[in-house]
Amino acid sequence: MAKEYSGSPKHHQLESKRKRLSWILGISGLCILSYMFGAWQNASPPSNRSEVYNTVRCDSGSPQAGNSLPSSPLLSSSSVALDFQSHHQVEINNSGGVQKIPSCAMSYSEYTPCQDPVRAKKFDRNMLKYRERHCPRKEELLRCLIPAPPKYKTPFKWPQSRDFAWYDNIPHRELSIEKAVQNWIQVEGDRFRFPGGGTMFPRGADAYIDDINELIPLKSGSIRTAIDTGCGVASWGAYLLRRDILAMSFAPRDTHEAQVQFALERGVPAMIGIMSSQRLPYPARAFDMAHCSRCLIPWEKYDGMFLIEVDRILRPGGYWILSGPPIHWKKHWRGWERTQEDLKQEQDSIEAVAKRLCWKKVIEKKDLAIWQKPINHIECIKSRRVYKTPHICKSDNPDTAWYRDMETCITPLPEVSSSDEVAGGALEKWPERAFAVPPRISSGLTPGITAEKFREDNELWKDRVAHYKKIIPLSKGRYRNIMDMNAYLGGFAAALIKYPVWVMNVVPANTNQDTLGMIFERGLIGTYQDWCEAFSTYPRTYDLIHAGGLFSIYQDRCDITYILLEMDRILRPEGTVIFRDSVEVLVKIQGITDGMRWKSQIMDHESGPFNPEKILVAVKTYWTGSAAQKQS
């Protein structure tokens, strides 16, 4: 017969359960204390952040004696490394070793993938379309590292770089010969000198800009962003910087050999680009001033399409400056080897297009002519009764500019309630403009971005830059050309305005939030870019690249190895990259960059070790190609 169960435990059973519970709680407490102690011990930073870096030379090249490169931060193997495997579920597979990526042939030393002259020959020459972006197909992508020239040296520091560059870094004498009379560039021993001359300013860019300042206010702070079409070696943009005006200069690849490369070597903002059939990669209402000095753009052709595109990217009240043909043709027509009738007809056609765009001609004096865009379209809409073309575009996102064809209709300005109101909102003068809430945000038309979020972002970047200053030589003049690959609101660039640097703010073309217009409203510059493709620049043109959250966006869109190879292409030897992302993503990145001759280290977030976002700091080591290396 089964024993009857009384329903109440005996005393010894209760005592046993109590002991087991106490034992479990005690062990759990010890585990928690051990974890916290281990986390604290592993996460404590070096006593001196400068100890994280030392100087390294490696691989196939070194500076010539007497021309040694200045010290550059490279990550030290003695640095305190973070033990991620004890805190994160990340599998790090080193069984196969690091996959070494080889160097490319020396013939690729100045390779520009999407503006490759060889590939360009396959495309339509009408409207110079062959000089637009034509990127390689997936099977054509190079899986190798672009080599620097054999005697490559670190560029001069700013502001000396404005006037000098090493010949060995850009070994092209063509411009010094072809433009000798115009004083663009001169060869002096082992270096180039940039006297500041230009086709239409033989007295120098400084004097030329002073002439412009007599006609429109360049020093009042109301003009901050400018664009220079057909920029040459960007002396106009270089000398505007001393007036706190930031110019985006662009020119096509190979019109004159390496002109954009020279501009960036000087530490002046520039991109490879051309006015052809597609919109420029900037939002509407971006620039306060546009400039063409004998830039050879046929403004009067194609129904005025190129001037209509300038109108799209020009802010309400912005200026367009033209010097060179056909301006002042009565004096210059013989030197330009054109007839008076031809030049007069060209100028009349330009004047007619400008008038139909509702631009006001401010002045024409000697070699300069200046027009001004209206501050709104109230009167322009009324004038459509007289000027039937170009009509005002109906349904279009005026900011859409990535592989978007130009149009022959006027981009509409935001509506206003009175004729004296600035369409889209008036801007503060520089430098207050950098931290004032952009009109695109204050208008409340940007989903998810408020004035409060804008201010919070500014505070966030103030803290981040203060942290960066502890781990890289941000204030030592080591960096001049900086790129933010995922710029969001431009907070990184704004936090750097007190440093002698400029920042190319890049907004991914396929992002859900288009913030580039806000960046320009802050008085900063940037561009759209799809990072599954190459950037429109020459190799070795940036000193510091920032990539915050970028690889989380792109890791499922394309092979991140090619994004990292593109970063290597545009980064100067001994340049620095800062990645911010999850541990899982950073471990993937580090696994690839270890095979790219980069030195790197994962560090804690500035807020401490318990933030899931981490920072990877990487430095491209110094190496060069060989003069005897195979050329194909």
Side-chain angles (χ1 to χ4, degrees):
M1 181 176 179
K3 188 175 180 180
E4 184 179 348
Y5 180 66
S6 66
S8 61
K10 293 182 180 179
H11 177 76
H12 72 273
Q13 290 175 322
L14 288 172
E15 187 66 27
S16 176
K17 286 186 177 180
R18 286 194 195 100
K19 286 181 179 179
R20 281 199 299 271
L21 183 61
S22 299
W23 183 81
I24 291 169
L25 290 173
I27 294 297
S28 299
L30 286 172
C31 288
I32 292 169
L33 286 172
S34 298
Y35 176 86
M36 292 177 67
F37 179 77
W40 170 80
Q41 189 177 45
N42 283 322
S44 57
S47 58
N48 182 355
R49 284 285 183 163
S50 64
E51 293 173 5
V52 173
Y53 299 95
N54 66 357
T55 300
V56 176
R57 302 273 186 249
C58 69
D59 297 323
S60 61
S62 61
Q64 294 287 312
N67 290 325
S68 62
L69 289 160
S71 294
S72 171
L74 291 183
L75 298 169
S76 168
S77 59
S78 63
S79 303
V80 176
L82 298 177
D83 180 12
F84 288 105
Q85 287 180 309
S86 60
H87 310 303
H88 301 277
Q89 299 300 315
V90 181
E91 293 184 10
I92 304 177
N93 181 12
N94 293 322
S95 59
V98 174
Q99 183 182 359
K100 297 291 184 183
I101 298 177
S103 63
C104 306
M106 271 303 298
S107 56
Y108 289 102
S109 180
E110 295 182 357
Y111 184 51
T112 54
C114 296
Q115 284 93 3
D116 179 30
V118 177
R119 183 179 296 104
K121 293 176 181 178
K122 303 175 185 177
F123 295 93
D124 189 358
R125 302 186 73 85
N126 180 45
M127 294 179 66
L128 301 180
K129 290 180 183 178
Y130 72 104
R131 283 186 174 157
E132 293 183 316
R133 285 177 60 87
H134 300 291
C135 298
R137 297 187 302 271
K138 186 176 180 179
E139 61 271 18
E140 296 176 308
L141 295 173
L142 296 180
R143 203 176 181 91
C144 54
L145 304 171
I146 302 297
K151 299 179 182 179
Y152 180 87
K153 296 186 266 298
T154 293
F156 292 93
K157 288 185 178 181
W158 183 266
Q160 192 181 13
S161 66
R162 187 195 69 182
D163 302 324
F164 294 99
W166 295 114
Y167 174 82
D168 287 328
N169 290 7
I170 315 175
H172 297 289
R173 295 179 180 269
E174 295 88 343
L175 281 176
S176 64
I177 299 168
E178 184 179 343
K179 298 293 181 181
V181 177
Q182 295 156 12
N183 228 15
W184 278 24
I185 183 173
Q186 297 172 356
V187 179
E188 295 182 350
D190 62 352
R191 65 191 67 184
F192 291 107
R193 186 169 74 86
F194 303 92
T199 308
M200 293 308 300
F201 36 96
R203 293 183 297 128
D206 236 6
Y208 176 77
I209 293 169
D210 284 340
D211 291 342
I212 295 172
N213 186 58
E214 291 179 5
L215 307 177
I216 58 174
L218 295 182
K219 298 179 181 179
S220 67
S222 59
I223 297 175
R224 164 62 181 173
T225 57
I227 184 165
D228 191 12
T229 56
C231 63
V233 294
S235 287
W236 187 71
Y239 283 86
L240 278 175
L241 288 167
R242 66 167 57 177
R243 295 159 174 87
D244 273 340
I245 296 175
L246 192 58
M248 175 75 80
S249 301
F250 75 86
R253 168 79 197 249
D254 287 341
T255 297
H256 299 301
E257 190 69 38
Q259 54 188 329
V260 167
Q261 190 177 14
F262 276 115
L264 286 157
E265 190 76 6
R266 299 175 71 183
V268 180
M271 288 178 65
I272 300 173
I274 189 171
M275 295 199 80
S276 178
S277 67
Q278 295 176 344
R279 285 180 172 180
L280 298 175
Y282 316 115
R285 312 193 314 276
F287 297 97
D288 304 314
M289 178 169 60
H291 174 258
C292 163
S293 174
R294 201 172 185 181
C295 60
L296 305 179
I297 295 172
W299 299 110
E300 78 288 0
K301 293 184 178 179
Y302 311 113
D303 297 321
M305 187 168 67
F306 299 142
L307 268 186
I308 292 171
E309 174 63 2
V310 170
D311 179 81
R312 183 185 73 85
I313 63 174
L314 204 58
R315 278 198 56 74
Y319 297 96
W320 183 57
I321 302 168
L322 177 63
S323 65
I327 304 304
H328 210 181
W329 57 266
K330 291 181 180 178
K331 175 184 176 182
H332 296 296
W333 67 276
R334 287 188 179 87
W336 291 338
E337 298 180 350
R338 291 176 60 184
T339 66
Q340 297 184 63
E341 293 77 11
D342 180 32
L343 288 162
K344 181 180 184 304
Q345 183 181 8
E346 182 181 340
Q347 178 153 359
D348 289 345
S349 298
I350 290 173
E351 301 271 11
V353 174
K355 195 169 185 178
R356 293 198 301 273
L357 287 170
C358 306
W359 291 4
K360 173 188 174 184
K361 189 168 187 180
V362 176
I363 194 170
E364 180 175 337
K365 184 177 180 182
K366 295 182 179 178
D367 294 340
L368 287 165
I370 302 177
W371 287 263
Q372 186 174 24
K373 179 177 176 175
I375 62 172
N376 58 60
H377 273 167
I378 287 181
E379 293 300 321
C380 194
I381 291 171
K382 292 178 182 178
S383 73
R384 293 306 95 190
R385 299 167 189 163
V386 178
Y387 303 113
K388 301 299 181 184
T389 57
H391 63 276
I392 294 177
C393 304
K394 297 299 180 184
S395 57
D396 179 34
N397 178 358
D399 290 346
T400 304
W402 188 249
Y403 291 126
R404 175 65 180 268
D405 286 343
M406 288 186 192
E407 296 182 281
T408 54
C409 56
I410 301 172
T411 300
L413 290 174
E415 293 184 4
V416 295
S417 55
S418 64
S419 59
D420 58 354
E421 184 182 347
V422 178
L427 297 175
E428 298 282 347
K429 292 185 176 180
W430 184 263
E432 291 76 18
R433 179 175 167 181
F435 295 99
V437 179
R440 277 172 161 90
I441 295 176
S442 59
S443 64
L445 298 177
T446 308
I449 303 178
T450 63
E452 184 59 31
K453 284 191 175 181
F454 173 76
R455 296 186 187 99
E456 289 173 358
D457 189 69
N458 286 334
E459 291 302 312
L460 178 71
W461 279 106
K462 189 187 299 182
D463 293 341
R464 286 180 173 179
V465 168
H467 181 65
Y468 291 164
K469 191 177 176 182
K470 297 175 184 177
I471 59 177
I472 63 173
L474 198 54
S475 58
K476 305 284 180 68
R478 174 67 183 85
Y479 310 115
R480 172 63 185 169
N481 301 351
I482 299 178
M483 175 182 286
D484 191 349
M485 295 176 72
N486 187 20
Y488 187 44
L489 298 176
F492 180 45
L496 291 174
I497 59 174
K498 66 180 180 180
Y499 298 101
V501 303
W502 66 272
V503 180
M504 179 70 79
N505 293 281
V506 181
V507 172
N510 38 19
T511 187
N512 293 328
Q513 286 186 316
D514 181 358
T515 53
L516 191 55
M518 304 168 202
I519 290 171
F520 274 96
E521 287 180 338
R522 301 186 71 172
L524 309 170
I525 60 172
T527 183
Y528 295 112
Q529 171 69 22
D530 180 352
W531 285 113
C532 290
E533 299 179 359
F535 193 75
S536 292
T537 191
Y538 283 83
R540 302 173 298 281
T541 45
Y542 285 89
D543 304 298
L544 172 64
I545 299 176
H546 189 274
L550 182 83
F551 286 83
S552 287
I553 297 173
Y554 279 95
Q555 64 176 339
D556 297 324
R557 296 183 182 179
C558 50
D559 187 342
I560 66 169
T561 300
Y562 290 108
I563 301 178
L564 292 166
L565 287 171
E566 173 63 5
M567 295 170 74
D568 183 86
R569 184 184 74 89
I570 68 178
L571 191 65
R572 287 172 172 165
E574 299 192 311
T576 303
V577 182
I578 299 175
F579 301 89
R580 302 180 72 94
D581 227 307
S582 68
V583 174
E584 290 79 3
V585 172
L586 295 185
V587 168
K588 286 181 186 177
I589 292 170
Q590 193 174 41
I592 298 168
T593 59
D594 283 350
M596 290 170 49
R597 313 190 200 196
W598 289 16
K599 302 296 183 183
S600 65
Q601 179 179 323
I602 298 177
M603 300 179 177
D604 275 325
H605 190 274
E606 63 270 4
S607 66
F610 298 107
N611 194 309
E613 182 181 76
K614 302 298 176 186
I615 299 170
L616 172 64
V617 180
V619 177
K620 177 179 175 178
T621 57
Y622 177 91
W623 66 276
T624 71
S626 167
Q629 190 175 344
K630 188 178 178 182
Q631 292 294 304
S632 59

